[in-house]
Amino acid sequence: MKAPPLSLLTLTLLLNQLSSASGGKILVFPLDGSHWVNMKVLIEELHAKGHEISVIRASDSWYISEKSPSYTSITLPSTGGFEENFEAFLAPQLQVRLQSKPTSFWSYFWMHVQLQRLVVDQFSQFHKRMSEIIIPIFEDENLMRSLHDAKYDVVLTDPGIGGGAILARRLQVPLIFNVRWTIQGEAHLLIAPSPLSYIPFTATELTDKMTFPQRIKNVLSYILGTYTLSRITEPYYKPLVRKYFGPDVDYSTFFLDADIWLMRNDFIFEFPRPTMPNIVYMGGFQCKPPKPLPEDLEQFVQSSGDHGVIIMTLGTLVGKLPQDVAEEIAAAFAQLPQKVVWRYMGQRPASLGNNTLLVDWLPQNDLLGHPKTRVFICHGGTNGVQEAIYHGVPIVGLPLFFDQPDNISRIRAKGGAVVVDIAVLDRHIFADALMTVLYNSSYRENMQRLSRLHRDQPMKPLDRAVFWIEYVIRHKGARHLQSPSYKMSWFVYNSVDVIAALLTVVVLITLTCISIVRLLWRMIFVGKTNE
Ligand SMILES: *[C@@H]1O[C@H](CO)[C@@H](O)[C@H](O)[C@H]1NC(C)=O
Ligand SMILES: *[C@@H]1O[C@H](CO)[C@@H](O)[C@H](O)[C@H]1NC(C)=O
Ligand SMILES: *[C@@H]1O[C@H](CO)[C@@H](O)[C@H](O)[C@H]1NC(C)=O
């Protein structure tokens, strides 16, 4: 590992300290990639409120730019190692899904086994790299000293990687999560009561109303999923925590010790479930009213007449699809009277109709807010789903990875989406799905209802997030909102020990009673016959 460029690091940190502070000082430890898009929205708002923000980034980061008007950066010499091979990361998963058409139960099962193996393997490597980021920081005394001296008020991190929590603990600074996922799984499942009878486990695509077989699936997925997750992260983070914090620190709770959990969802999206006082819902915080479209795009959209437009994008990371899939999608579009704006960076499909516009990038929020937009085709990432809810646009889902199928299945359960399995997709299936959402008004009505519900709240989600960050700064943490439950062993949490103790008492009393009765019996009757 190369030595870090000390002078530069110390200089940025010094500059940080010199600039006069009216608000708080916030250290951000983000996760690169699409999650950064989200974090940046928060950072910009915090900056606008007068807070001073430093962002830790890897020197080879694709998304987190070194210079920004809203933050100063602390660049680590280590490689983030995340984006450089994202194609390599996602392409094999897509390959497995496409190759094994889920025609029978067994082929479906087999596909999932293969997918599972691949994902475990990839995520293990990912977490290995991510956990190693922290080592050069800790080993660099100068950097650590300047981080200490900077006297941050709060560390804001995405717990999809462990670095932020580790650093906050070392600096002894309050910790805030911008979260849905942590390295140990879905946030709610880790700190809030989560009965598996009505809370679907990650990636099961189940809802809150489960039949008996579905509940069996849910419980088995939970057991398998928690085991898999621990195998993916524990081997890398556990030794680190042990090395830097000592063997008596409980690894299993180390990453749950945040003051506030800013949750990137809400109960418009999520099924109702128990929650905790330090969980703050900010789902949709990135959504804004639409701005006018660029002139040429506006012209194209207007040219759709009463038919309206269809928007398609599969997120920041998936620019292209296998050519045969792209051909089928293009052919399906060509059959329709609507106009289509498709963010696609692959080779231009031959079957592309003249109603379809291919673009490298699209103003997603502005297009979704356009009155001519009829359907949104998306993969189920955070921004897409939340913006579709905000603007009330029905979805045709083409989920690809991670929790995307789950995300779309929630909207489907609420009547706002149709899901297409990319493994069986052809022009007829795809066109059918589109027609259903276009011409059956129930999808649009349901999304519009979700949109009205989402907007009807006392405070905008972004304001709520900022309020709670400032709250933590003002009160130097929010420990009083933190329940000790997450630190309890499972048998204390479920009062197994109390039940066992009470049962023992009951059994003892019963046994004593029985022996007394027996004794009396003997004394009265046995004594008598002996007389
Ligand atoms: C687009 O294609 C359709 C059918 O292929 C054709 O009827 C129409 O004239 C074309 N429109 C333009 C503007 O080229
Ligand atoms: C699914 O949606 C949730 C809530 O909006 C979000 O936090 C999560 O990142 C999404 N998943 C993906 C893969 O984008
Ligand atoms: C529209 O879709 C809903 C939900 O799938 C269905 O119950 C309803 O019958 C459909 N309506 C028409 C007219 O097809």
Side-chain angles (χ1 to χ4, degrees), residues 53 62 78 103 179 206 226 234 269 283-284 368 370 373 443 499:
I53 295 139
W62 277 24
S78 57
T103 41
V179 60
L206 295 169
T226 3
E234 241 188 67
F269 170 80
L368 285 174
H370 199 283
T373 300
Y443 294 92
I499 295 171

Side-chain angles (χ1 to χ4, degrees), residues 335-404:
Q335 299 171 19
L336 298 172
Q338 280 76 21
K339 296 273 164 127
V340 183
V341 185
W342 183 7
R343 175 184 173 264
Y344 191 67
M345 283 135 94
Q347 191 195 330
R348 189 185 171 82
S351 50
L352 201 73
N354 59 10
N355 63 341
T356 308
L357 178 68
L358 289 189
V359 290
D360 283 351
W361 174 85
L362 49 80
Q364 183 170 298
N365 187 58
D366 306 334
L367 274 170
L368 285 174
H370 199 283
K372 287 232 182 281
T373 300
R374 298 285 180 266
V375 181
F376 181 42
I377 304 165
C378 68
H379 64 317
T382 320
N383 292 331
V385 170
Q386 291 290 354
E387 285 174 4
I389 293 177
Y390 180 82
H391 294 295
V393 178
I395 291 177
V396 168
L398 205 59
L400 302 173
F401 319 102
F402 313 130
D403 60 336
Q404 293 166 358

Side-chain angles (χ1 to χ4, degrees), residues 415 417-418 436 439-443 446:
V418 167
T436 309
Y439 297 115
N440 180 336
S441 59
S442 77
Y443 294 92
N446 285 327

Side-chain angles (χ1 to χ4, degrees), residues 303-305 307-308 310 333-339 355 435 438-439:
S303 72
S304 66
H307 291 298
I310 297 170
F333 285 152
Q335 299 171 19
L336 298 172
Q338 280 76 21
K339 296 273 164 127
N355 63 341
M435 307 263 243
L438 281 166
Y439 297 115

Side-chain angles (χ1 to χ4, degrees), residues 164-178:
I166 299 183
L167 192 57
R169 177 78 74 104
R170 173 51 36 104
L171 298 175
Q172 303 218 307
V173 168
L175 177 64
I176 296 183
F177 284 163
N178 167 1

